[in-house]
Amino acid sequence: MANSAFIYDAVRTPRSKGKKDGSLHTVKPVDLGAGLLRELQSRHDLDTSYVDDVVFGCVTPVGEQGSDIAKMVVQNADWDESVAGVQLDRFCASGLEAVNTAAARVASGWEDLIVAGGVECMSRVPMGSNGGAMGGDPEFSMKTGFVPQGIGADLIATLEGWSREDVDAYALESQKRASHAQANGYFDKSVVPVLDRNGITVLEKDDFIKPDTTLEGLGKLKPSFEMMGQFGFDDIALRKYNTLDKINHVHTPGNSSGIVDGSSAVLIGSEKAGKDLGLTPRGRILATAILATDPIIMLTGPGPAAEKCLQKAGLNKSDIDLWEINEAFASVAMRYMKDLGVDHEITNVNGGAIAMGHPLGATGAMLVSIVLDELERRGLKRAMLSLCVGGGMGISTIIERV
Amino acid sequence: MSVFKYEKDADGIVTVTMDMTGPVNAMNDEYNVAMNETVDKLEAEQGLTGVVFASAKNTFFAGGDLNMLVSIQPQQAEEFYEGIIETKERLRRLEKLPVPVVAAINGAALGGGFELCLSCNHRVAWNSKAVQVGLPEVGLGLLPGGGGVVRMVNLLGLETALPYLLEGKKVNAEKALAAGLIHETVDTLDELLPRAKTWILENKESETAAVQPWDQKGFKIPGGKAGTPKLAQTLMMAPVMLQQKTRGLLPAPEMILDAATEAARLDFDNAQIVEARNFTRLATSDVAKNMISTFFFGLNKVNGGASRPADIASSKVKKVGILGAGMMGQGIAYSSAMAGIEVVLKDISQEAADKGKAYTEKLLDKRVSRGRMSAEKKAEILSLIKATDADADLQGCDLIIEAVFENMELKHKITKSTEGYLAENGVWGSNTSTLPITQLADASSNAANFIGIHFFSPVDKMPLVEIICGEKTNDETLARAFDYVRQIKKTPIVVNDSLGFFTSRTFGTYIDEGIRLTQEGVHPIQVDNMGKAIGMPVGSLTVHDETSQQLSHKVVGTQKDMGLFVEPVDGDAMSEMVDWIYVENNRGGRHHGGGYYTYGEDGSKTIWQPLVDKYHKPDHGIEEQDMKDRLLFRSVIETLKCLQEGVLRSVADGNIGSIMGIGAPIWTGGYLQFINTYGAKRFVERARELQAKFGNRFEPPAIVVDKAEKGELFT
C-alpha cells in the first residue's frame, strides 16, 4: 500500500436507551456529533482547516438526520468552512464503513486527514422510518424473500442447535464484561461526556448496561420475533432452509443489541498529517473487507468477511490478539466465533452491544475506540473488528497498534 | 346497427343498452368497436344530460375475452399492451364525460363488467340473487386490466381493496352496497332504469355528480398513499401473507399487489400504465394460460358433459340409497339431501345410521348459526334423510351407492343382498378408491347398471367425483351417474377401470417418489418441503401419514391376494418403507399413533427421529431442482400413462381431476396442461435426463414423445 492510514484518535459518546425515557433523547443528532468533533479539536489543538472530509455513517438519514448530516455536524461544531462532510449508509456497518472509506482515501495518498464516525439518535428518528424496498415494496419483498433480521438471528440459532439458555448465557456474559470494564474505567479514555448548551453534563457514561442481569431474569423475557414468524416470515425463511421444520425463536430484548442513541468519531490520517500537525499515531488500519452472503438469513456475513480481511492483510488467525464482533444478536456473535474457531476469551472482552446498545450508524466506529483502548491496556498488537450487515453483508477491519 | 343500442330520451338522457352477439356482453373486439362508437357519439352529443349503461342480457357484462387472452404469446406483448391502453382510454373518456354516467346493474357484473361499472359515476343495482359484482381475474391468473385495480384502490383505499383484488371476492348487491362498491339498490328489476334516470335528474345541479372521486380537487385516497406510515405494516405483511398461499408460484396475486401498491403511490393515470404493464406480463405468462385453459375452458367442458354419452336423455335421481353411514356415506347423504334428493342412509345398526345422519345436522346447524340458512330450510333438508338399519327401506331407490369398507368380499355380499331393492333399471354405484369396478360388478345380476362413483373426503367440501366405468357398464348407467353428480353440484370426471383408477393411481406416485427421496438420503423434512415448493398442498410424507401407512399395507395385501399386484418399475420402495415403519415399528399414520411424524395433542408435529437416523445422508448429492422435478414428473407421467391406456377418456378430465381431486399445483393447470406450456419436447428431454439419473420410472410415455415430435398440444 502506498501510504499507511493511521488512527490518531478515536472517541465516542456514552450510549443510552433510544426511547423518550433515554438520557440522550433531548440531544439533537447534530449536537451529539458536533460534541465529538469539538473534543477531537480540543484534545489535539487541531487546525480543522487541515481536515479534508468528515464521513459519518447514519442508517436512518431522514428528518433531522437527513440531508447529509455529516456536513451539518461539521458546521454545528464550528469547524473551518473548508471542511466537507458526507453521510453514508451501509446499514449497521455504516460506522465501520466510514472508517474503512476514510482509511482507503488516506492510503491512496489522495487525502491526508479525515474524520470517520457516525451518529444515530434512535430515540428521535426511529429505526425503519426511512422506508426502503426491503419490506416496503411488496414486489421486491416477494422476489427476494425478505425476512426481518431477527428471524435470521433465530434461524442461525436453530441451525446451530443453540437453545434459549445458550444465547441467554452469552448475553449474561456480555453484561458482566461490560459492567466490569466500565467499573474499572476501561472506557474512560474514549467516552466523551455529553454536555448541554450550558456546559452541564447530560450523560457522562453509558447507562444502558444492566449490571444486575441474571439468567433467571433473562429467561423471563418474551421472544421478540415469534409472532412475526407466525405471520408467515418463518415459512419464507424455511423455503430456503428446507431441512428445518420450524424456527426456534430464542432472541429477546435481553440477548439482542439494545436500541440506543450515540455517536462516534475516529481521526484517520497520513504520516504527513501527523507530522504537519504534531499528532502521534495510536494505531493503523491494516486491511478492510466487505462482502455479502445469503440475504435471507442475513446475519452470517461477519465470519467470511473476517476471513477475507485476513487474506487481504496476509495474516493468520493467530496473528489477531483480540476479536470484536458487533453483538446485533447473541447468535451472530456465537456464529462468528464458531465460523472462525476463535475463543470467547479473546472476543468482545469488554462486552458488546447486547449490554451497551447499538446506535446503528455509529457502532462500527465505536468499536475502533473500544478495541484500541483495550489493545493498549493489555499491551497487545492487533485486533479484528466485524459487524453483520443488512442484506446479508459482512464487514471487517484489522487494526494494529503502532 | 351497433350491438350497443343508443337511445336519447326527452330529458336528454342517453341509455346505452348492451346487447352483444352471443349469450353475454364481453370485452372483445366487438365491444371495442361498439364502445368506441358510443363514446365518440356521447362526446359529440348535443343537449346531453346524462348516460345510463344497461344490459339486454340476463347478466350485465361478463368480462374479458378469454379465447383471446389464452392465445397471447410473449412476442405479442407490445401489441397487447397497446390494446389494453386503448381499452383504458375508452373507459377514461367515459368517466370524464361532462355529464353523470350511471351503471344500471341488472345481473352479474364481473371482471371487465365491473370495471365498466367502476368507470361510471353512479352504480345502481337490482337487489337480487342475480346480481354479483367483483373482480375474479386472479382466479384465472390475470388481473383486472381495465382500470379495475387502480379504481378499486382509489375508491376503497389499498387495504380495503386488496381482498377484492387478491382473492377475487364476489359480493351480492346488498354486500356491495355496504362495502361502497355500488351506490344504491332497487327492489325490482322494473325500477332499475327509471331509478338510474331519476338519479341523473336529481343531480342536475350537482358539481360533483359527473366527476369521479379521484378526479375531484383535493381527492385523497382512503387510508392514505403508499408512503404513509399507516400503510408501512400492510406493505410489509401483505406479501408475507400472500406467499403463504402462493409460495411464490402464482404471479397474478403478486402483480396485483404490486399494481395496487403503485396505485396508492402514483397519480391515477400513471398507475394505469403500471396496471397495463403488469397485466401484459400476466397475459403472456404460462401460468395464466394454464389456469384459463383448465379452470375456464376445461371445467366448462367437463361440467358441460363432454364425457357424458350425448344421446341419452338427462335424468334426475329422486331417491338415493346409501349403504354405510361412515365418513363417506354420511358426506354423500349430506350432499344429496342438500340437492333436494330423498336419502335412505342405511347401516348395520340404527345407532350407526343415526350417527351418520347427525353429521348432516351438525353441518346444517353451522349454516344456521352463521345466518346462511333458515331453521325451516334445515328441517326440510334433514327430513329428506331417513336413517335406518332395514334393507327394506331401500325399496324403490333409483340409485344405490354402496360406501362400506374397502373389502371385495363384503362389497360382493352387500351387492347381492341389496341389489333387489333398486327401482327398475336403477343404478348401482360403488364408492371405492381402490377396488376394480369390473370385479366388484361380478357379484351383480346386472353388471351393465353397475358403476364406480368415487367420492373424495371430506365429501361435503371436495368438489370432485370420479366416475369409473367397468367393462360391462353401459352408456345409460354412465349418463345417469353423471347426471346425479351434477345434480349434487359436483364435478364428475369419467374414467375407465384400472387399478387405482386415475386419481388414486396418480396420487400414489407422489407419495412413492417422496418415499424414494427419503430412502436415498434426503432429509424427510426437506422431502415434504420440496413438495410444497412445487405447489402441492402438503408434502408426500405428511400426506402419507394422513392416508395412513396402515391402509397402504392393506391395499397392497389385497392386491396381492387378488393377483392384481404389479411390481413397480425401479423396485417396490413403498412396501419397503411400509414394512419397516408400520409392520416393524407399528407407525400406521397420524390417526394410528403417528407415522413419519409424531403428532402432539397440542397440534404439534415433529419428525420421528428414527426415520432421519435410518435414512438421512447429508451428502446425498441430489439437487433441489431434481427433487422438485421428480415429485412433479412422477404424477405427470402417471397421468400420461392413464391417457395413453385409455383410463382417462379426455385431457380435460385429467386436468380437472388432478387439480380438484389430488391437489395438483394450481399453476400447472393440471398434469396434462402443464406439458402444454412446459413444452412437450422439453418435457421429454427432461424426463429422459431424470430416467438416466434416477431410473426407468421417468421414461416418457409414447403419447408425449409423439406429441413432442408432432409439436402438438394436449387438448
Side-chain angles (χ1 to χ4, degrees), chain A residues 128 134-146 148 227-236 238-246, chain B residues 232-244 247-248 253-255 257-258 261 265 523 525-527 529-530 597 605-607 616 624:
Chain A
M134 201 166 70
D137 173 358
E139 184 187 21
F140 180 82
S141 295
M142 290 185 285
K143 180 178 173 177
T144 57
F146 163 73
M227 209 196 293
M228 256 190 178
Q230 282 166 358
F231 274 131
F233 282 117
D234 281 359
D235 285 351
I236 290 174
L238 293 176
R239 259 162 48 187
K240 176 147 188 175
Y241 293 87
N242 53 31
T243 59
L244 298 175
D245 60 349
K246 54 177 161 293
Chain B
Q233 187 81 357
T234 305
L235 295 184
M236 186 151 146
M237 297 313 296
V240 177
M241 301 208 264
L242 188 63
Q243 285 177 97
Q244 291 217 293
R247 300 197 193 120
E254 296 189 3
M255 287 291 101
L257 180 56
D258 180 63
T261 307
R265 206 186 291 281
H523 196 291
I525 288 173
Q526 192 177 20
V527 171
N529 280 327
M530 287 295 106
Y597 294 88
K605 174 184 161 197
T606 43
I607 197 76
H616 180 45
E624 284 193 5

Side-chain angles (χ1 to χ4, degrees), chain A residues 284-301:
Chain A
R284 65 188 177 113
I285 289 152
L286 277 191
T288 72
I290 186 80
L291 52 65
T293 56
D294 172 30
I296 293 174
I297 198 166
M298 205 186 281
L299 307 169
T300 54

Side-chain angles (χ1 to χ4, degrees), chain A residues 153-192:
Chain A
D154 288 339
L155 179 55
I156 291 174
T158 309
L159 283 168
E160 300 295 343
W162 293 325
S163 67
R164 171 71 184 269
E165 289 70 30
D166 295 334
V167 289
D168 277 351
Y170 181 90
L172 181 65
E173 184 62 21
S174 178
Q175 294 283 1
K176 275 188 187 163
R177 291 182 182 191
S179 318
H180 178 262
Q182 189 180 48
N184 287 280
Y186 299 172
F187 298 147
D188 292 353
K189 185 172 179 180
S190 303
V191 173
V192 179

